[in-house]
Amino acid sequence: MSKAQTSSISQTLSQHYASSINTDGSNSVLNSVKNTEDAVNFITFNQDASCIAVGLNNGYKIFNCKPTFGKCYQYRKEESIGIIEMLYCTSLIAVVALGEEPGSSPRKLKIINTKRQSTICDLIFPTSILQVKLTRTRLLVLLEDQIYIYDVTSMKLLHTIETSPNPHGICAISTIADNEGNIYLAYPSPPKTITHDSLLVMGINTNGGSNSIQNNIQSVSNTPNRVGDVIIFNLTTLQPLSVIEAHKAALAAIALSSDGTLLATASDKGTIVRVFSVQTGVKLYQFRRGTYPTRIYSINFSSDNKYVVATSSSETVHIFRLGEEESLAKKHKTTQQIASKKRTKPDYETIIEESEEPNGSKGDIDNEDFDDIRDDGDDSDAEVADDDEANEEISNKQRKLSQSSTNSYVSVNSGVSGDESISNASNSTTLKSEPLVDQNRLSVARLIRRSSQTLGRKAAQRMGDFLPSRFSSILEPTRHFASLKINAVGKDVKSIAVMNNELQHDFVPQALLVNSKDSSTSIKDLHPSKDLLELNLLHIYVVTSEGFFYTYGLDPERGGDCILLNQYSLVGEGV
């Protein structure tokens, strides 16, 4: 690219950088290739979760999410769009074709000005493009074994990262610079990579960054099969920052918070979600998404870093709260305090780090017993624990396990401990702290699981000091704060979800809800047109490979089931 071309591109980008098309969004992506003309190939939220971009077999569409839903732009062309990425609310988008038509190539990236419908520049790469990420200063293009980093304002190539094979295009990027002006990239890396080993040996932020260089050298030699590690790369200084040893199994999804302070990860087991500090590498939270292995499609932080939202192939969305009561440090400290009062041996702990392996744990003994009641596909209440990494050797240090995400049985702001809340649940004064229950999600499996949860927690609290540590950890699994069941039409529906952290005033028919203390409430006893319940809700936005956009409401005080508020189609002639 000549200097004249570079200058022209820079001027064009500068002219249109602040041009708004009244749309916004987040940085998660979804692929689902279909054969019909108006089928969805790709869906993504842009960086601030206020708009949706949809890649179709005949062009692309852009929709507003907030303050109200509506289509704001559509471009029809006889070209299948495989990737579309927006730059906040501006008129600049990045587009990659599927390559099914003459002249199209999945190796070509186009930077387009949607207002003028003009192509600003084309970039050709050696292999197919798997992922594109945009920030206000950086453009990232991810191939299977390479990542290209460009300056957005000039489209100058700044750096190329050689990676291990990444066929699923897994990566994450922060969108807001920290106090020092840094933004970060996260991507998976098995230990065999040179960058991974060199960072480990130097003792940079690995599992808390507390190991000595000698211990890190030993760690490299002792973990040849570990494939669930994440490399953190500074996109401002163009230098690798650290390695975070997230999982032993291969990664399925990762996410960085918008400010780059937190990293969320899930392995291909799909049962455990972990949250780490980017700067220190310390594991801050650990949550159990469900019992049975599933495919995690996306993980996203809320913009205020108070929640993590995860979607999966079970067609459920789980919301985990990142609060003081859920933090590993808090749980570990509380466990030690209780243990010191009840046990004569202070070095014995009942709670250890939970793992993900489906085999090798006694937690699996219940799986076959409940095969006939778990066919509802809703694993949001599943309590039977199956270990994530049962073969991982427990270190001499007693490991930590975050307990329930206050289990939606305790009010977020109640200030009451879990055991006190459970013991007082029968008192009518605690009903306002009870989680919301969606009438439409009632099933035999959920009722059985829900009724068994309290018994399991009480048993763990009373017997935990006398049981082996692994059995105690099974009785005290980590849990989500809230969940929802996607109102999908077909099967194998892929989805991504983001969270709006602004409270909205919504009116919900009481007929949709039942009190978790009184599951016998009948929908026939209520009048949907008259009995409206006013709630202050956070909105969860969900898009699916079927081409639907859903808005669900989450009660931040009570948790429990999220309520479907709106549903829109993103495809079709009338849309």
Side-chain angles (χ1 to χ4, degrees), residues 497-528:
V498 295
M499 188 168 180
N500 183 357
N501 63 335
E502 298 176 1
L503 275 175
Q504 306 290 328
H505 298 286
D506 295 290
F507 289 90
V508 180
Q510 293 190 41
L512 292 177
L513 307 176
V514 295
N515 191 292
S516 61
K517 295 293 293 179
D518 183 16
S519 59
S520 63
T521 302
S522 172
I523 193 171
K524 297 179 181 179
D525 298 330
L526 298 169
H527 301 84

Side-chain angles (χ1 to χ4, degrees), residues 84-143:
I84 177 171
E85 182 76 8
M86 299 179 62
L87 179 60
Y88 287 93
C89 306
T90 71
S91 58
L92 293 177
I93 62 171
V95 173
V96 179
L98 284 179
E100 297 178 347
E101 296 79 19
S104 297
S105 172
R107 298 189 296 114
K108 179 188 287 188
L109 172 68
K110 295 180 181 180
I111 305 297
I112 296 174
N113 173 11
T114 56
K115 276 193 171 181
R116 297 183 179 180
Q117 197 46 235
S118 60
T119 300
I120 297 174
C121 68
D122 291 338
L123 299 173
I124 306 295
F125 296 90
T127 59
S128 296
I129 299 169
L130 302 181
Q131 187 79 272
V132 177
K133 297 290 185 182
L134 277 169
T135 73
R136 298 189 185 278
T137 59
R138 295 289 185 262
L139 163 68
L140 268 72
V141 181
L142 186 144
L143 312 183

Side-chain angles (χ1 to χ4, degrees), residues 38-39 56 61 63 71 74 76 547 569-575:
D38 205 23
L56 306 167
K61 296 179 181 179
F63 296 85
K71 182 176 67 178
Q74 176 174 345
R76 286 194 174 276
S569 174
L570 304 176
V571 297
E573 293 295 332
V575 180

Side-chain angles (χ1 to χ4, degrees), residues 275-314:
V275 178
F276 300 84
S277 165
V278 168
Q279 289 298 327
T280 65
V282 171
K283 182 169 63 178
L284 304 176
Y285 303 91
Q286 178 166 286
F287 301 104
R288 177 163 290 282
R289 185 214 58 82
T291 298
Y292 312 105
T294 190
R295 172 71 179 174
I296 299 293
Y297 289 137
S298 74
I299 300 179
N300 280 296
F301 287 91
S302 61
S303 58
D304 57 5
N305 293 349
K306 292 182 179 180
Y307 300 92
V308 170
V309 185
T311 67
S312 69
S313 58
S314 64

Side-chain angles (χ1 to χ4, degrees), residues 69 168 478 538:
F69 174 81
H168 299 295
T478 58
L538 298 173

